[in-house]
Amino acid sequence: MANSWLRLWHDMPTDPKWRTISKISGQRIGDVISVFIHMLVCASNANERGRTQSFNCEDVASALDLEIDQVSSIVDAMQSRVLDGDRLKGWETRQVAREDGSAERARAWREDKKALNSPLRTQTNANERKRTPDSDSDSDSDSDSDSDSDSDIKKEIQKKKNPDVANAPPVRAEIFEVFNFWKEKFNHPRQSLNDQYKKIISLALKNLTLADCLEAIEGCSLTPHNIGQNDTGQKWDGLHIIFDFKKGNPARFIENKNNPPTPKNLKIGQKAQNTKQAVEYIIQKIEEQKNDNERNA
């Protein structure tokens, strides 16, 4: 019987193969990864785990709101990269059997809970056995009743082992406000607040007020070059660009918020309009001079 879980590896979302498959299939990287996850689930549920005979492009297309041809092109591009016929490459390496059963893990967590809640910890407790935690964080069906409490217990134990983590300050509300404003302003709904974004925004808040940070983002959204109105059509709206203090970008974007720059194509259009008016004026004068000459003849 197939297991009710499967493993994901840490660098799966950033694997460079997805970009290759995306280019070959002509589909978005997010859609490529989504199709692969469906393929993983299909292989996990197969009688012979790792095989994808029952993978159905039509069903996956409906689930992801894609066209069947889009899914098929992604699957075709996966061949020789993550697929070998109907078998997922690397399945045996990544989807290894568990070292222990769910009952053993549940019993181990209960022991930790009991030790954590004990008012007096004996020397035996202090020298309790060390275990290598399972590499994934899933919980099997027979330990579902303990899953929520187990997660809390694990966090408490980690806090006791690492006081620096326990005493780490929470993420400032201003960071969330700046990040969410940026996401909304530039339509990046899928972006998540990772450590890199936190570092960029934290540095910005050390040098600017919250209002200034928001104005810089607003100003960038009003800068034609940064929103794609340039020769290449490339957008330059990343937080690392907006808050690049070495190039003076925050001050420039704040100024653009108050005095939005005119797109280059509009300037060219205005020049063309002025030239047209000048030509029409000259023609009018020539006609008037011609009429005057005819009347005087």
Side-chain angles (χ1 to χ4, degrees), residues 4 76 151 157 197 231 286:
S4 59
D76 291 342
S151 178
I157 293 174
Y197 286 139
D231 295 338
I286 292 174

Side-chain angles (χ1 to χ4, degrees), residues 3 50 80 86 105 112 132 136 146-147 153 160 165 186 197 202 208 212 234 270-271 286:
N3 291 323
S80 76
D86 65 352
R105 291 198 315 280
D112 284 336
T132 301
D136 59 16
D146 295 319
S147 60
I153 295 167
K160 287 184 176 292
V165 173
F186 293 102
Y197 286 139
S202 296
L208 302 170
D212 287 339
Q234 175 71 39
Q270 185 63 48
K271 290 180 179 179
I286 292 174

Side-chain angles (χ1 to χ4, degrees), residues 12-243:
M12 190 278 284
T14 57
D15 194 316
K17 287 194 294 290
W18 307 139
R19 185 172 296 277
T20 302
I21 294 171
S22 172
K23 289 182 178 180
I24 293 174
S25 64
Q27 307 302 318
R28 298 179 302 179
I29 293 179
D31 293 335
V32 172
I33 295 175
S34 298
V35 169
F36 180 70
I37 291 175
H38 277 269
M39 196 170 287
L40 280 175
V41 174
C42 174
S44 180
N45 285 323
N47 291 331
E48 182 183 352
R49 299 188 75 208
R51 305 192 76 91
T52 61
Q53 309 99 309
S54 60
F55 184 85
N56 189 301
C57 290
E58 183 177 359
D59 292 343
V60 174
S62 297
L64 298 177
D65 196 21
L66 298 173
E67 297 296 332
I68 298 176
D69 291 344
Q70 291 178 280
V71 177
S72 298
S73 64
I74 292 173
V75 174
D76 291 342
M78 285 181 174
Q79 285 295 339
S80 76
R81 294 175 177 85
V82 295
L83 278 175
D84 183 8
D86 65 352
R87 176 175 290 279
L88 282 174
K89 287 188 171 183
W91 180 270
E92 293 79 5
T93 303
R94 294 190 173 105
Q95 306 298 330
V96 296
R98 300 183 81 87
E99 293 82 0
D100 61 337
S102 59
E104 169 63 21
R105 291 198 315 280
R107 182 166 54 254
W109 283 120
R110 292 190 188 98
E111 291 176 1
D112 284 336
K113 181 179 179 180
K114 182 178 179 181
L116 182 65
N117 294 332
S118 176
L120 295 176
R121 303 193 63 171
T122 63
Q123 185 64 25
T124 302
N125 295 138
N127 296 325
E128 60 186 353
R129 64 183 179 85
K130 296 182 179 179
R131 295 187 314 279
T132 301
D134 196 85
S135 58
D136 59 16
S137 58
D138 56 76
S139 57
D140 291 324
S141 56
D142 57 350
S143 61
D144 285 345
S145 60
D146 295 319
S147 60
D148 293 337
S149 59
D150 289 347
S151 178
D152 294 337
I153 295 167
K154 185 176 181 180
K155 291 178 181 178
E156 290 299 324
I157 293 174
Q158 286 299 110
K159 287 181 180 180
K160 287 184 176 292
K161 292 180 178 179
N162 191 347
D164 293 336
V165 173
N167 297 326
V171 178
R172 294 165 54 188
E174 292 89 345
I175 294 179
F176 283 107
E177 185 171 350
V178 172
F179 182 72
N180 290 331
F181 184 76
W182 171 76
K183 283 176 57 178
E184 180 180 355
K185 184 60 62 175
F186 293 102
N187 192 27
H188 295 313
R190 296 186 178 181
Q191 293 291 344
S192 58
L193 184 58
N194 56 32
D195 291 339
Q196 181 181 3
Y197 286 139
K198 291 177 185 177
K199 183 178 180 180
I200 293 172
I201 298 174
S202 296
L203 179 61
L205 289 169
K206 288 181 180 179
N207 294 276
L208 302 170
T209 65
L210 174 60
D212 287 339
C213 289
L214 300 182
E215 285 194 359
I217 294 173
E218 178 78 21
C220 181
S221 72
L222 298 174
T223 304
H225 179 82
N226 291 80
I227 60 176
Q229 297 181 20
N230 52 58
D231 295 338
T232 63
Q234 175 71 39
K235 293 183 178 180
W236 306 95
D237 58 4
L239 284 171
H240 65 291
I241 294 175
I242 297 174
F243 296 120

